[in-house]
Amino acid sequence: MSEGTFLAAEIKTQPDDWLGVLDVLPSVATDLPQPGERVAVLGCGTSLFVAQAYAALRESAGEGITDAWPASEHQLGRGYDRVLCITRSGTTTEVLDVLKQRREGAPTTVITADASSPAVSLACPVVLSDVDERSVVQTRFATTTLALLRASLGHDLRPVAEQARQILNHGADATGPAATADQITFLGRGWTVGLAHEAALKLRETTQLWTESYPAMEYRHGPLSITAHGRVVWAFGEVPVGLADQVRATGGHFEWSDVDPLADLVRVQQLCLLRAGAAGLNPDQPRNLSRSVILAG
């Protein structure tokens, strides 16, 4: 059921989408955060997790203080040199509220997929229309936005894209015991904490599976108690010493791959397709969700 969906088609384009930002970057570079600026990055849902990943990457690169906020819980009163908003549809109520309030403030940039959206007229737009999606569930817009932001920090996307291609060619078999696990916990450190949150959200949206996500060092402070036979702990990037052995001692499976964490996220997306199909669910239409959250005024 899931292989013929919009989501399946959109997942497959990602390696080319990521490399495509190398052509886009020169024309938008001055609209993105500049070295030394104090920056706030805002989003909702998946876009928030992209913001979290980028904020950690930018700070670790020494580019300047970078905070990621849910658009509904921002602290822009702290003072920033630039605000960056991420919204696929450009219609999310919480993001639009921020953009309307920021008209006279510090420079504000919005990354969106829809050039006709109201967000475009409220900030300096970076429009990634080629990676817009028909599925309610976000994949390629979010990952391509992160690829663009990583490229702006000097990351080489070519090996990342090649790893993702290999994963796509290998198919969903690469997901291992996670294909049948009754619970999955995703872990990350630094910038991959955002990816862990995104991975957990993707599976909840598409398969209604019980998933959780944490910073890896927090996992032993309570969440370890749910790990057992038939459950999986999936880590992105750096793994704390001893953690894998502790997971295995509970009877749970520890999943980790020696690839770039963004490429590893594609494995999770494949898992979404596999498990949605097995459950008879349409991953393009997750229960109770719509493409954009638009709140009544």
Side-chain angles (χ1 to χ4, degrees), residues 51-259:
Q52 291 173 340
Y54 170 60
L57 283 169
R58 186 173 184 269
E59 282 213 358
S60 66
E63 294 283 299
I65 291 173
T66 316
D67 295 322
W69 301 105
S72 59
E73 299 291 338
H74 67 76
Q75 297 290 332
L76 297 184
R78 293 181 176 182
Y80 293 95
D81 301 315
R82 184 183 300 268
V83 176
L84 173 62
C85 293
I86 303 171
T87 167
R88 175 181 64 172
S89 68
T91 59
T92 304
T93 297
E94 297 98 311
V95 174
L96 291 180
D97 286 346
V98 171
L99 293 177
K100 291 171 184 175
Q101 295 165 10
R102 297 294 302 173
R103 284 179 174 175
E104 303 301 325
T108 303
T109 297
V110 61
I111 302 178
T112 184
D114 188 349
S116 66
S117 70
V120 168
S121 64
L122 295 172
C124 180
V126 173
V127 180
L128 302 178
S129 56
D130 288 346
V131 294
D132 202 354
E133 296 151 329
R134 297 181 68 180
S135 177
V136 168
V137 174
Q138 286 197 56
T139 51
R140 68 182 183 187
F141 170 74
T143 61
T144 303
T145 296
L146 184 53
L148 173 67
L149 294 171
R150 288 182 68 178
S152 74
L153 296 173
H155 290 211
D156 184 0
L157 300 177
R158 292 176 182 84
V160 186
E162 181 56 32
Q163 288 173 348
R165 274 200 194 91
Q166 294 300 319
I167 288 167
L168 289 166
N169 290 339
H170 193 56
D173 290 343
T175 58
T180 55
D182 62 16
Q183 189 276 336
I184 303 177
T185 298
F186 293 95
L187 305 177
R189 298 202 73 182
W191 74 281
T192 67
V193 174
L195 294 191
H197 293 330
E198 167 61 4
L201 177 64
K202 283 285 95 64
L203 276 169
R204 287 196 293 269
E205 289 176 331
T206 56
T207 72
Q208 300 167 26
L209 181 67
W210 172 22
T211 63
E212 300 182 7
S213 53
Y214 304 95
M217 292 298 289
E218 286 297 305
Y219 178 67
R220 290 173 281 204
H221 294 272
L224 179 64
S225 62
I226 66 168
T227 309
H229 180 74
R231 297 178 180 174
V232 168
V233 174
W234 187 317
F236 291 97
E238 179 187 354
V239 178
V241 174
L243 182 60
D245 289 338
Q246 286 180 293
V247 170
R248 294 181 186 116
T250 69
H253 172 76
F254 186 79
E255 184 71 25
W256 180 83
S257 178
D258 186 19
V259 297

